[in-house]
Amino acid sequence: MLCRQRKADRLDLGKRGPIDERALWTELRPVRWLAEAERPETPVLEIVSVCKSEVPGLVSNHGHAFVRLVDEEGGVRPIGFFPDESTGIEPDDFPGLRMPGMLLLPDKYDRVAWNPLITRVILSRPAFAGICASIEALQRGKGEGELSFDLLDQSCVGFVVRIARLARIRVEAEVLLTDFADGTEVDAGPTWRRHLGRLLPRPLYRLLFNLALCTHGGFCTVSRQWDKAGDEPVLRTIRGIRPVFTRWRDIWSRHVPFYHVRALREWQRKVEREGLEPYRLAEV
């Protein structure tokens, strides 16, 4: 059974997937420039979410989230986090699986207008430089497991949550599985099925959720990915990727956040309704 597989060697990597050239960057430089009239007065962090449908689904039409870092000269750095396609693994088949990720510059969806929501955070120059340096450090550390990906808390939305935290912004992006009980509109309020999930005792929900994860890759990792050395692809071993669960007792005790585009977009709408956007963090 998959839940008994502890090593990456026991997972069939399948055929080699494509190597995305956008993941091979070393310095977080602008990829495009704004017109002079559109340039911000101070550096800006943009939290961006896109989705084909108005309400993101659990698996289909689940949307995507990424960040843009824009400097005063109008230089735009759209960067997002994805599972590394070179492994040949489809993460939707193993929601609990930890595998190599990749930071794409520019993000795949930077120019895709799928119902975009944008939340702007105004930064000081030191804060802007610090966030850029942190992202560059993640990229340098990808061989040590700094870019491990899963569909839970280390997803594209999890990346946005972590970057926002560097700007002292607490993004509310966690959901329960019962939030996807039906296709109810975001602002229509919870149905009884969604409400039932909120009434479950937290330890019971955690146990059921973790049991589902352990049978879908929660004890597994993939620690190999393809990279480019010159013109030839090279298979590299990634050190430091740890599975979601390392011991069976974790199933009873560990809280695994499930970040999702649906909750992120609800938070973005809330920020807009309450007039909190853009955030002003000149002293960060």
Side-chain angles (χ1 to χ4, degrees):
M1 293 176 61
L2 187 61
C3 61
R4 295 180 181 176
Q5 296 173 339
R6 304 295 183 92
K7 296 182 179 178
D9 294 347
R10 298 180 184 177
L11 285 177
D12 181 11
L13 290 177
K15 64 180 181 180
R16 175 172 62 85
I19 298 175
D20 199 314
E21 298 285 341
R22 291 169 292 188
L24 305 180
W25 61 275
T26 57
E27 186 176 347
L28 192 57
R29 296 179 178 178
V31 298
R32 58 186 175 88
W33 300 85
L34 298 177
E36 185 172 354
E38 299 175 330
R39 296 174 186 175
E41 295 180 0
T42 60
V44 171
L45 167 69
E46 292 187 342
I47 297 171
V48 186
S49 68
V50 294
C51 186
K52 285 184 178 180
S53 57
E54 187 65 25
V55 181
L58 177 61
V59 177
S60 62
N61 294 327
H62 51 66
H64 176 62
F66 62 100
V67 299
R68 292 192 192 107
L69 287 152
V70 187
D71 59 36
E72 308 97 311
E73 289 76 38
V76 182
R77 301 159 180 81
I79 184 126
F81 191 44
F82 295 84
D84 194 301
E85 297 170 352
S86 73
T87 62
I89 295 287
E90 175 51 62
D92 286 346
D93 297 334
F94 308 103
L97 175 67
R98 287 267 169 85
M99 60 182 292
M102 58 182 181
L103 287 169
L104 296 191
L105 178 69
D107 186 271
K108 291 181 182 181
Y109 299 92
D110 180 40
R111 297 299 190 96
V112 176
W114 286 348
N115 299 305
L117 291 178
I118 302 173
T119 303
R120 293 177 175 88
V121 180
I122 298 174
L123 301 172
S124 66
R125 186 67 200 180
F128 180 87
I131 292 174
C132 288
S134 296
I135 295 174
E136 290 176 341
L138 287 175
Q139 178 74 347
R140 289 194 300 271
K142 64 180 179 180
E144 284 71 48
E146 293 294 328
L147 293 183
S148 59
F149 180 95
D150 61 45
L151 290 177
L152 305 168
D153 60 329
Q154 298 189 33
S155 61
C156 64
V157 180
F159 172 71
V160 168
V161 169
R162 291 194 291 275
I163 298 305
R165 194 176 296 139
L166 295 176
R168 299 182 184 176
I169 295 295
R170 182 179 179 272
V171 173
E172 300 168 7
E174 189 172 352
V175 295
L176 299 177
L177 285 179
T178 49
D179 291 341
F180 299 90
D182 54 45
T184 304
E185 293 294 328
V186 171
D187 294 327
T191 64
W192 68 269
R193 283 178 290 181
R194 295 179 69 188
H195 193 55
L196 178 62
R198 300 289 175 179
L199 292 178
L200 281 176
R202 189 170 299 177
L204 176 59
Y205 176 83
R206 181 175 62 228
L207 174 62
L208 295 174
F209 182 66
N210 289 352
L211 282 172
L213 290 181
C214 80
T215 60
H216 290 82
F219 280 108
C220 302
T221 63
V222 171
S223 59
R224 293 178 285 175
Q225 68 183 138
W226 291 87
D227 205 347
K228 269 197 172 181
D231 296 329
E232 294 297 324
V234 175
L235 185 61
R236 300 191 185 280
T237 299
I238 307 300
R239 302 175 296 276
I241 295 183
R242 295 174 58 83
V244 174
F245 304 118
T246 57
R247 305 167 301 177
W248 283 104
R249 71 178 67 175
D250 294 342
I251 297 173
W252 282 268
S253 61
R254 185 167 177 211
H255 171 66
V256 182
F258 179 23
Y259 296 133
H260 196 277
V261 175
R262 173 179 286 204
L264 173 62
R265 289 171 70 83
E266 289 179 357
W267 173 80
Q268 288 181 285
R269 290 188 179 95
K270 175 184 175 184
V271 167
E272 186 176 3
R273 285 196 303 267
E274 295 181 357
L276 301 177
E277 192 269 340
Y279 286 97
R280 296 189 176 275
L281 297 174
E283 302 303 321
V284 174

